[in-house]
Amino acid sequence: MAGAGGGSNDVQWCFSQVKGAIDDDVAEADIISTVEFNHSGELLATGDKGGRVVIFQQEIENKSQPQCRSEYNVYSTFQSHEPEFDYLKSLEIEEKINKIRWLPQKNAAQFLLSTNDKTIKLWKISERDKRPEGYNLKEEDGRYIDPNTVTALRVPVFRPMDLMVEASPRRVFANAHTYHINSISINSDHETYLSADDLRINLWHQEITDRSFNIVDIKPANMEELTEVITAAEFHPHQCNTFVYSSSKGTIRLCDMRASALCDTHSKLFEEPEDPSNRSFFSEIISSISDVKFSHNGRYMMTRDYLSVKIWDLNMESRPVETYQVHEYLRNKLCSLYENDCIFDKFECCWNGNDSVVMTGSYNNFFRMFDRGQRRDVTLEASREGSKPQQVLKPRKVCADGKRKKDEISVDSLDFNKKILHTAWHPQDNVIAVATTNNLYIFQDKVN
Amino acid sequence: MFPKGTKRKFSDSREEPVAGGEDVNQSSLAAVRMLSSYSLQRQSLLDMSLIKLQLCHMLVEPNLCRSVLIANTVRQIQEEMTQDGTWQIMTQALSAANAAAQCSADRLVATEVLCRQTEAAQGEQVPKPFPVVGSEGCPAEEVLEEEEAAAAEVGMTMSTVSPQAPTSYLPGTFGMDPCWEEEETGEDDDDDEEEDSEECGSGSEGEERERDSLVEDTRTAEQVFGTFEIKNPAPSPDPALEELFSDVDASYYDLDTVLTGMQSVPKMGPYDLLESLSSHGPSPLSSSTSCRSDLNELDHIMEIIVGS
């Protein structure tokens, strides 16, 4: 099939750009760990294992060349987190950026939250394209002028300069998490945000760094009784009192902060009964939810577990309204995927702008899109081979049984080291960012 | 591309072990094949899980979600074996072996298996590679002692197996390669695969190892989760030190101190975590890392010992 996309026309996905090193030898620090568009889609941020954030900006569309959508170029690069050492426990704290979330834009500057395992930081990214010149008591290079030599006064003026993009840390939210932070989510009230680790969720005010409220705590009194952890959390896009968190047992709890200060008791519990015919020792592991995302309209939420993507109607807790199999052919391979730890890979998922299509990653640098309306899905590949400008991506197919057709790939030839964990969709347009291990691919739909 | 044995499926049907008795006159290879593949697969999964739990103790920071999921899998297998009745069988066999061998619990099943006569097994017709070993008592104990010191913190059944001692006792009749080794070489032969799935942890020896693994599992669970809490530091610390640390968030200490103990016990602050770490003993980092590399070898050996 040609492609999956919103609307009545078939979308054909084309290669647009690829960022990152070409050689196969991947430096550990370059491994991309998060990808996120801002609210307008003009900026695209990536975080990596080395604690750096790279922001790409979409150039203003070139009207004379309607065929080619504008490209994303590097806008700012900064070191967000540094490796730390916890001396009391003799443990390293990784600088890897786990999540980036953009704040809604309020003024000329852009703000984002970035977090590693322990610390969240608010960064301000601002442009400077003018500078004041003509001081009375200071030379251009900063040297002070002897006041006695000044004979006339002048008013300093702003003169244009080369665009400089500055990133500065404005807030550091530290020391609130004992366990590893897996999610941050900004509230629709534009004042607060939540951060979630394996066992607790904290509520912060964006301005206050020395205090946070604990709103969920699932830590058992006796740690030996621990059987479930929090895997992801997100605020509702419109209702500032509502958030959800997912668990390693495949449940999603929706909580209302108006109900009580500590939201240990859920308002809704979303759980699909297990299919007894598929039961195995790996059932629990593959039911563990690795990502949860509300739809833009706030009526649905999507969860990603190891083999599937599920869409839930917030009004129905008993089962999802839609289930899409990402790579069902792996069900027979769970034992070896457990052995090589791939079964613990945490794939993310995302919605397109109008909630009609969802996307998630897989192995062998494949990623999948599911068109909810047209009930179609497609598998595409992010690779250098398909990377000529505007080259249309060819749909891929994995052959589960032995009868491999031409152009199909057999399950045993899949490269499980090439995994696409992080993907992002432009909030309005059909532009997607897909992160392989150390490269960022940008695809867009073919403009006719 | 998959390592050996990956095409196994966990089938719900279980073959009767009794069926193996009919093949007593066939080659040992066929006899092994008749054993319940389900319980063998389950055993192998249990072994794999325990290794993963132990290995994660050696990492700088454990991924809690992964540890919890693996521990739950182990618990699941344990519960199923309890329902099976295999748990009780192993408990009895092990306590008998314990009394007979008079080895300390830390020696674990490796020693028991080496020391014990294989007639303690269920009588299933499996190749018996260790009559030689059995008759010589516990010669591996001395070697195990050294190994144990280095592997103490791993605290796992397999880790106490000496890589040297058992190999010298391997009989020639044991014609099949143990499944762990096969998996490492990554051969893709269907026939071998089938053999492997049946070799891994076969029979009661496997179950005994399982029993001990599960004894270890209790400790494992404790190690993984139990020391996430500071054992309430009752001692009244030096007021000066207390003042020094007064603004440190106490909840910060809730992380797994086993790992900390792995690497640097003495670096603990005034909140004395040595108590919680004492069961693991001091463990220089180097021995942890060498243990990690030895684990594959140790697994190999364990499979040889119990896999027949």
Side-chain angles (χ1 to χ4, degrees):
Chain A
M1 58 194 72
S8 51
N9 302 322
D10 272 353
V11 173
Q12 286 199 301
W13 289 99
C14 311
F15 171 82
S16 173
Q17 296 170 272
V18 61
K19 308 283 187 193
I22 296 175
D23 55 288
D24 286 334
D25 212 14
V26 179
E28 184 101 352
D30 293 338
I31 294 175
I32 298 172
S33 50
T34 186
V35 182
E36 185 84 356
F37 280 99
N38 77 334
H39 294 277
S40 66
E42 184 203 353
L43 298 175
L44 174 61
T46 63
D48 64 24
K49 208 162 176 216
R52 291 166 303 200
V53 171
V54 180
I55 302 177
F56 301 92
Q57 182 189 41
Q58 193 178 30
E59 297 301 324
I60 296 171
E61 213 167 297
N62 194 338
K63 300 283 186 237
S64 65
Q65 282 186 304
Q67 299 297 329
C68 176
R69 262 225 193 78
S70 31
E71 292 196 334
Y72 283 84
N73 299 316
V74 176
Y75 178 65
S76 173
T77 304
F78 56 93
Q79 186 77 32
S80 171
H81 286 72
E82 298 276 2
E84 284 170 41
F85 195 76
D86 182 341
Y87 294 98
L88 286 172
K89 285 179 281 187
S90 290
L91 293 173
E92 251 188 39
I93 299 172
E94 277 193 319
E95 67 274 29
K96 173 167 74 87
I97 307 294
N98 291 337
K99 282 288 181 324
I100 290 174
R101 290 286 182 263
W102 290 92
L103 267 64
Q105 190 172 11
K106 286 185 201 167
N107 51 38
Q110 300 279 354
F111 288 86
L112 60 79
L113 284 175
S114 72
T115 184
N116 69 347
D117 283 339
K118 298 285 185 183
T119 304
I120 305 140
K121 294 187 184 179
L122 176 69
W123 287 88
K124 175 179 177 183
I125 297 105
S126 48
E127 291 183 3
R128 192 193 293 268
D129 60 358
K130 295 185 273 291
R131 69 157 180 239
E133 287 177 20
Y135 284 104
N136 291 293
L137 292 176
K138 221 168 39 165
E139 297 277 15
E140 293 309 322
D141 57 8
R143 279 180 301 140
Y144 282 100
I145 299 173
D146 180 1
N148 297 324
T149 63
V150 175
T151 54
L153 287 180
R154 56 185 177 168
V155 177
V157 292
F158 276 99
R159 297 217 185 277
M161 58 179 262
D162 289 340
L163 178 65
M164 199 164 72
V165 181
E166 300 170 318
S168 57
R170 305 304 284 181
R171 304 270 187 279
V172 177
F173 305 89
N175 295 329
H177 284 280
T178 307
Y179 304 97
H180 293 176
I181 298 174
N182 53 53
S183 312
I184 47 176
S185 178
I186 296 169
N187 203 348
S188 52
D189 66 4
H190 295 190
E191 276 189 356
T192 57
Y193 73 94
L194 65 77
S195 58
D197 67 25
D198 294 317
L199 296 179
R200 298 191 177 103
I201 301 179
N202 292 332
L203 180 70
W204 300 83
H205 191 282
Q206 289 168 13
E207 299 293 324
I208 299 170
T209 60
D210 59 356
R211 262 173 301 164
S212 75
F213 290 101
N214 177 245
I215 52 178
V216 172
D217 188 339
I218 65 168
K219 183 176 170 196
N222 181 0
M223 279 297 274
E224 285 182 33
E225 292 163 7
L226 179 65
T227 56
E228 190 174 12
V229 300
I230 297 170
T231 51
E234 194 176 61
F235 265 119
H236 190 278
H238 311 311
Q239 295 166 17
C240 57
N241 53 284
T242 305
F243 66 94
V244 293
Y245 68 93
S246 60
S247 82
S248 57
K249 285 199 170 170
T251 63
I252 309 102
R253 287 172 173 80
L254 184 142
C255 300
D256 187 334
M257 294 196 293
R258 298 170 300 188
S260 68
L262 191 60
C263 299
D264 278 359
T265 315
H266 52 263
S267 298
K268 295 193 184 189
L269 174 68
F270 297 83
E271 189 174 15
E272 182 171 27
E274 199 182 351
D275 177 7
S277 64
N278 267 336
R279 174 116 190 95
S280 76
F281 283 117
F282 305 111
S283 293
E284 185 184 316
I285 299 178
I286 62 169
S287 74
S288 172
I289 292 172
S290 51
D291 194 15
V292 64
K293 290 263 171 48
F294 278 104
S295 61
H296 290 97
N297 60 20
R299 291 178 50 199
Y300 300 95
M301 66 177 174
M302 164 168 56
T303 57
R304 174 71 156 99
D305 50 73
Y306 190 64
L307 296 180
S308 67
V309 160
K310 294 179 181 173
I311 314 268
W312 302 78
D313 185 323
L314 293 185
N315 297 316
M316 186 164 77
E317 302 165 60
S318 53
R319 57 183 166 77
V321 290
E322 293 154 39
T323 302
Y324 301 103
Q325 300 302 331
V326 181
H327 35 221
E328 181 71 8
Y329 46 79
L330 296 183
R331 194 178 285 275
N332 295 333
K333 310 284 182 190
L334 293 179
C335 192
S336 48
L337 292 166
Y338 180 72
E339 210 167 348
N340 63 17
D341 265 11
C342 282
I343 208 173
F344 301 108
D345 287 336
K346 292 194 188 299
F347 292 95
E348 293 174 11
C349 53
C350 60
W351 298 84
N352 75 336
N354 59 15
D355 299 332
S356 59
V357 185
V358 297
M359 169 167 66
T360 189
S362 178
Y363 293 105
N364 209 66
N365 282 348
F366 288 170
F367 58 99
R368 303 261 284 139
M369 287 186 192
F370 302 95
D371 190 323
R372 301 173 61 209
Q374 299 186 8
R375 293 267 154 202
R376 288 206 285 195
D377 60 271
V378 68
T379 305
L380 300 172
E381 183 179 357
S383 78
R384 297 259 174 186
E385 278 89 50
S387 58
K388 290 198 259 310
Q390 301 307 310
Q391 180 181 358
V392 175
L393 294 180
K394 202 172 114 183
R396 299 279 180 224
K397 190 139 166 48
V398 177
C399 159
D401 50 31
K403 314 176 204 75
R404 191 175 78 88
K405 301 193 195 83
K406 179 177 177 289
D407 285 350
E408 283 186 2
I409 296 166
S410 85
V411 184
D412 296 319
S413 332
L414 294 175
D415 188 342
F416 286 76
N417 291 320
K418 292 189 178 163
K419 47 193 96 172
I420 291 179
L421 303 173
H422 313 287
T423 58
W425 205 309
H426 189 287
Q428 278 107 37
D429 302 334
N430 273 336
V431 177
I432 55 176
V434 172
T436 59
T437 307
N438 64 332
N439 286 146
L440 182 72
Y441 286 79
I442 299 174
F443 302 107
Q444 51 197 33
D445 62 348
K446 195 175 177 65
V447 181
N448 294 319
Chain B
M1 160 267 117
F2 282 112
K4 212 55 175 134
T6 61
K7 290 180 187 162
R8 282 174 286 191
K9 288 180 197 192
F10 271 66
S11 59
D12 284 339
S13 65
R14 300 179 198 187
E15 302 163 32
E16 284 298 310
V18 171
E22 296 169 351
D23 297 318
V24 62
N25 294 324
Q26 296 181 10
S27 69
S28 56
L29 178 61
V32 170
R33 282 205 171 121
M34 295 307 293
L35 288 174
S36 166
S37 65
Y38 176 81
S39 54
L40 290 169
Q41 287 167 354
R42 182 177 64 185
Q43 171 69 57
S44 144
L45 180 62
L46 179 67
D47 302 339
M48 209 192 306
S49 305
L50 290 172
I51 291 179
K52 282 182 185 297
L53 279 176
Q54 293 300 328
L55 276 178
C56 82
H57 279 183
M58 297 183 184
L59 297 173
V60 177
E61 298 217 76
N63 181 336
L64 185 60
C65 181
R66 178 177 172 274
S67 305
V68 167
L69 289 172
I70 297 172
N72 287 352
T73 307
V74 168
R75 213 172 277 132
Q76 224 183 317
I77 296 174
Q78 190 178 343
E79 277 164 15
E80 199 180 278
M81 290 180 61
T82 308
Q83 285 165 11
D84 266 354
T86 41
W87 174 266
Q88 284 80 1
I89 294 166
M90 281 187 333
T91 314
Q92 290 160 13
L94 190 63
S95 52
N98 263 330
Q102 291 189 354
C103 305
S104 79
D106 279 342
R107 305 298 176 173
L108 302 174
V109 102
T111 316
E112 263 83 57
V113 170
L114 291 172
C115 297
R116 200 179 15 86
Q117 292 297 326
T118 48
E119 61 264 19
Q122 291 291 307
E124 278 136 345
Q125 297 308 314
V126 298
K128 307 266 191 288
F130 304 114
V132 176
V133 174
S135 64
E136 297 204 29
C138 304
E141 253 187 272
E142 290 150 12
V143 187
L144 281 173
E145 208 164 339
E146 297 160 11
E147 206 56 31
E148 190 196 342
E153 70 278 9
V154 181
M156 183 176 170
T157 304
M158 297 174 196
S159 68
T160 63
V161 178
S162 155
Q164 285 101 27
T167 45
S168 53
Y169 297 108
L170 282 180
T173 54
F174 194 82
M176 301 174 285
D177 289 329
C179 59
W180 287 109
E181 188 184 61
E182 293 270 22
E183 282 166 352
E184 282 160 32
T185 58
E187 290 166 36
D188 220 1
D189 183 4
D190 280 346
D191 286 340
D192 283 342
E193 236 173 78
E194 208 184 335
E195 291 167 37
D196 291 343
S197 68
E198 287 147 7
E199 292 169 71
C200 298
S202 67
S204 67
E205 287 154 334
E207 289 157 3
E208 274 142 4
R209 179 161 60 101
E210 224 168 45
R211 170 64 183 90
D212 247 17
S213 308
L214 294 166
V215 167
E216 277 310 294
D217 172 52
T218 325
R219 271 205 268 158
T220 299
E222 196 183 294
Q223 288 166 11
V224 174
F225 306 128
T227 49
F228 271 95
E229 283 289 345
I230 280 201
K231 315 254 171 170
N232 304 314
S236 49
D238 178 9
L241 281 173
E242 198 172 40
E243 190 192 303
L244 195 63
F245 290 93
S246 60
D247 58 350
V248 176
D249 181 10
S251 68
Y252 220 35
Y253 304 144
D254 287 349
L255 207 52
D256 184 7
T257 54
V258 173
L259 298 184
T260 329
M262 297 288 126
Q263 293 166 19
S264 54
V265 167
K267 280 189 198 163
M268 288 301 104
Y271 297 83
D272 189 2
L273 302 170
L274 286 176
E275 232 180 294
S276 57
L277 297 170
S278 59
S279 58
H280 313 295
S283 53
L285 186 56
S286 56
S287 67
S288 314
T289 46
S290 69
C291 272
R292 198 182 314 180
S293 58
D294 279 342
L295 266 182
N296 277 337
E297 239 182 314
L298 297 175
D299 291 338
H300 170 185
I301 299 309
M302 272 313 300
E303 287 309 319
I304 294 170
I305 292 168
V306 303
S308 52

